[in-house]
Amino acid sequence: MGLEVHVELGTKTKMFCCCSTSLGAEPNSQTCPTCLGLPGSLPVVNATGVESAIKIGLALNCEIAEWCRFARKNYFYPDMPKNFQTSQYDEPIAFNGYLDVALEDGEIFRVEIERAHMEEDTGKSTHIGGATGRIHGASHSLLDYNRAGIPLIEIVTKPIVGAGARAPEVAKAYVTELRELIRALGVSEARMEMGQMRCDVNLSLRPNGTETFGTRSETKNVNSLRSVERAVRFEIQRHAAVLDSGGTVVQETRHFNEDTGSTTSGRIKEEAEDYRYFPEPDLVPIAPERAWVEELRAALPELPRVRRQRLKAEWGISDHEMQSVLNAGAIDPIVATIDAGAPADQARKWWMGELARRANEDDVELSALPITPEQVARVCALVAEGSLNDKLARQVIEGVLAGEGDPDQVVDKRGLAVVSDEGALGAAVDEAIAANPGVADKIRGGKVAAAGALVGAVMKATRGQADAARVRELILEKLGVQG
Ligand SMILES: Nc1ncnc2c1ncn2[C@@H]1O[C@H](COP(=O)(O)OP(=O)(O)OP(=O)(O)O)[C@@H](O)[C@H]1O
Ligand SMILES: [Mg+2]
Ligand SMILES: [Mg+2]
């Protein structure tokens, strides 16, 4: 198995021109002669792009080239009007690294990195008209070059051979870890659902005990963690079926279909020769000064796996629990909620419970929910000071998610507050005792556990807006028994 991951860098401008990289603009409004490849235009390298590439290389334990160049990868397709993509070929900026990833059972698996190189994204084509659902049957192709020239880093693994049947799990764990790393470095938000990070899955099988690799298939642009895992699993089975029936695997690119979980044939894969790579004559070579590289190395943040170990100890949770927190994408929201003043267990409870459920239902990442860590921390504070109980807190969260405002505004608007007025509470307790004389007698007779029924009655009467512990105290007080 070999994984190629493309990451769109979060630089303000494109890799070789000053066009904006912001998303959502009118098609083709963020273009210039350089990213449109008009004659006479000349590219200039984005220094922040290079810096980000070096940071990624260092975090992946790579060597950083003393000297490297860009190369032209020639191909003819309308998504790149220059007729080539500016990329790197045999002289990448970073090479020979590794990334250690933690598997579900806590085992650490080392994925070797062949290289991380700089390149540019292509334009976006949308095929419309003609026979629906068939790209080549479309009558028109719409082209948006806003994306053309956005900096990309392509991170390529060496062939991963030791994973065996765990290959799908290793692939998912690797992409997860890489995403965390990219985010920790602050070089990209790496939102897969927005195409900021995408993975090509290369896979081949070979007979047990042999050395030569089999023919690979390459499943392009897989864009979620779950899909990476499924694409690997599907391709293993497909290759096995082809080989078992005496067939031969064709070297081709394939597409992963989210709905069916299967891959379908794309085009026959070009060989490197077909791209006629040659050094880009319009750009100067890149020779990062060693002092700069060392400065960047010294400024690397705590790596995600190390940080997880530390947080796991601080929060006092198991490997398994930490793994769930990671899978839910909850580490950063939880940490931010704690930073905003909430106790760790409360922060974990809300993000891993109510909010994870909501994110799951809406099929979005936790960080994309319309609630901030500060708002969650405020809900925790309201619970801690006794103005909300858990049930009410859930309604407040629901209100914030529904766009009703900050927690305090939701409390006001929905009239959600624990009935703390002792007079009102006392009256509700008196009523419950009067309505349930049998239960009251039992409690008076020493059966304290029966108090639960009366607490329930009071909670019902106050529509859940009372502090259950205080209600219980009041009941016992009024019946003259010790709690
Ligand atoms: N026979 C094979 N079976 C499985 N994986 C392979 C095999 N041969 C190479 N690989 C892996 O496939 C990936 C190839 O990526 P690389 O970027 O080097 O080339 P490419 O796919 O030909 O080029 P492009 O960037 O144009 O897609 C690497 O991760 C490599 O380890
Ligand atoms: Mg590649
Ligand atoms: Mg490839």
Side-chain angles (χ1 to χ4, degrees):
M1 177 168 77
L3 301 168
E4 298 164 77
V5 173
H6 287 90
V7 179
E8 258 182 22
L9 296 179
T11 52
K12 288 203 184 71
T13 57
K14 292 186 180 179
M15 192 64 195
F16 304 111
C17 62
C18 293
C19 290
S20 165
T21 56
S22 65
L23 296 175
E26 223 8 52
N28 297 307
S29 62
Q30 297 175 163
T31 57
C32 73
T34 300
C35 54
L36 290 177
L38 300 187
S41 61
L42 282 172
V44 176
V45 175
N46 181 331
T48 309
V50 176
E51 183 174 281
S52 301
I54 296 176
K55 285 183 185 166
I56 292 173
L58 289 171
L60 290 172
N61 306 289
C62 287
E63 293 171 50
I64 305 300
E66 304 259 345
W67 193 94
C68 68
R69 273 188 299 195
F70 286 97
R72 289 190 181 185
K73 181 180 184 179
N74 296 277
Y75 70 95
F76 182 74
Y77 195 71
D79 66 359
M80 212 49 176
K82 301 192 288 190
N83 287 349
F84 63 85
Q85 180 187 27
T86 308
S87 181
Q88 292 195 291
Y89 183 49
D90 49 356
E91 299 165 303
I93 184 137
F95 51 94
N96 264 347
Y98 63 86
L99 180 63
D100 285 335
V101 305
L103 302 183
E104 298 275 346
D105 64 359
E107 192 199 315
I108 303 294
F109 190 97
R110 178 161 292 187
V111 174
E112 311 234 30
I113 307 291
E114 183 181 297
R115 62 177 199 274
H117 70 244
M118 299 179 282
E119 58 182 34
E120 59 182 335
D121 213 343
T122 58
K124 193 174 164 208
S125 22
T126 310
H127 306 284
I128 59 160
T132 44
R134 284 191 53 228
I135 289 178
H136 297 293
S139 60
H140 291 75
S141 289
L142 302 178
L143 288 149
D144 176 7
Y145 294 113
N146 285 353
R147 200 180 66 182
I150 290 189
L152 287 184
I153 302 297
E154 177 177 340
I155 301 152
V156 183
T157 69
K158 292 184 182 164
I160 301 167
V161 290
R166 298 174 81 180
E169 188 196 343
V170 167
K172 182 179 174 205
Y174 167 72
V175 180
T176 308
E177 195 64 45
L178 191 55
R179 187 183 66 174
E180 295 293 304
L181 187 72
I182 299 287
R183 288 179 177 169
L185 292 170
V187 295
S188 168
E189 286 177 32
R191 305 256 298 258
M192 294 187 83
E193 77 281 10
M194 292 172 69
Q196 292 170 337
M197 180 167 172
R198 21 195 218 261
C199 179
D200 299 345
V201 172
N202 296 271
L203 194 119
S204 68
L205 297 183
R206 61 181 176 189
N208 223 344
T210 59
E211 285 295 314
T212 336
F213 289 141
T215 306
R216 70 171 157 134
S217 61
E218 182 175 0
T219 306
K220 286 279 192 190
N221 291 329
V222 185
N223 65 359
S224 77
L225 296 171
R226 183 160 168 264
S227 295
V228 168
E229 186 177 23
R230 291 170 82 205
V232 173
R233 185 168 296 125
F234 181 85
E235 280 297 286
I236 292 176
Q237 284 164 0
R238 190 184 65 83
H239 279 240
V242 170
L243 296 170
D244 280 344
S245 66
T248 43
V249 173
V250 201
Q251 177 160 343
E252 61 182 356
T253 63
R254 299 184 67 88
H255 302 289
F256 181 70
N257 183 321
E258 304 252 347
D259 297 329
T260 58
S262 59
T263 66
T264 47
S265 179
R267 62 186 159 86
I268 298 297
K269 172 75 181 174
E270 276 99 324
E271 296 291 340
E273 303 88 87
D274 297 328
Y275 289 126
R276 303 178 312 284
Y277 280 101
F278 65 87
E280 165 63 66
D282 288 345
L283 287 165
V284 291
I286 308 276
E289 266 184 51
R290 291 299 100 178
W292 183 36
V293 172
E294 289 317 310
E295 225 172 81
L296 293 176
R297 191 197 303 278
L300 286 182
E302 182 182 31
L303 296 182
R305 201 170 56 82
V306 177
R307 177 173 180 241
R308 282 202 304 276
Q309 282 309 111
R310 177 172 61 76
L311 292 175
K312 191 171 75 81
E314 278 175 24
W315 298 347
I317 61 174
S318 65
D319 265 332
H320 184 74
E321 231 178 309
M322 195 68 209
Q323 191 66 39
S324 323
V325 174
L326 170 68
N327 289 343
I331 297 177
D332 288 331
I334 291 174
V335 169
T337 305
I338 296 169
D339 287 348
D345 57 337
Q346 289 293 311
R348 276 210 316 283
K349 182 179 108 176
W350 290 112
W351 286 105
M352 291 303 291
E354 202 62 13
L355 293 166
R357 196 177 50 70
R358 257 306 273 274
N360 211 5
E361 269 171 29
D362 300 357
D363 202 17
V364 295
E365 291 199 34
L366 266 186
S367 57
L369 286 179
I371 188 165
T372 64
E374 289 71 24
Q375 289 170 327
V376 176
R378 179 64 189 143
V379 172
C380 294
L382 290 170
V383 172
E385 71 184 38
S387 338
L388 292 179
N389 56 23
D390 266 18
K391 186 172 163 231
L392 296 174
R394 259 196 297 280
Q395 294 178 39
V396 174
I397 297 230
E398 208 181 276
V400 175
L401 290 173
E404 293 168 26
D406 276 336
D408 293 284
Q409 290 168 317
V410 177
V411 166
D412 274 356
K413 275 190 209 155
R414 293 197 178 190
L416 301 174
V418 166
V419 178
S420 53
D421 171 355
E422 289 278 319
L425 216 51
V429 169
D430 287 341
E431 256 170 57
I433 291 174
N436 300 279
V439 182
D441 278 343
K442 270 192 206 159
I443 301 170
R444 281 195 197 92
K447 225 174 151 252
V448 177
L454 292 187
V455 175
V458 175
M459 292 307 280
K460 199 169 163 202
T462 57
R463 299 198 326 281
Q465 305 200 353
D467 174 356
R470 179 68 194 134
V471 170
R472 191 167 189 283
E473 268 171 27
L474 274 177
I475 291 169
L476 297 182
E477 231 174 80
K478 285 189 188 272
L479 296 175
V481 262
Q482 294 293 316

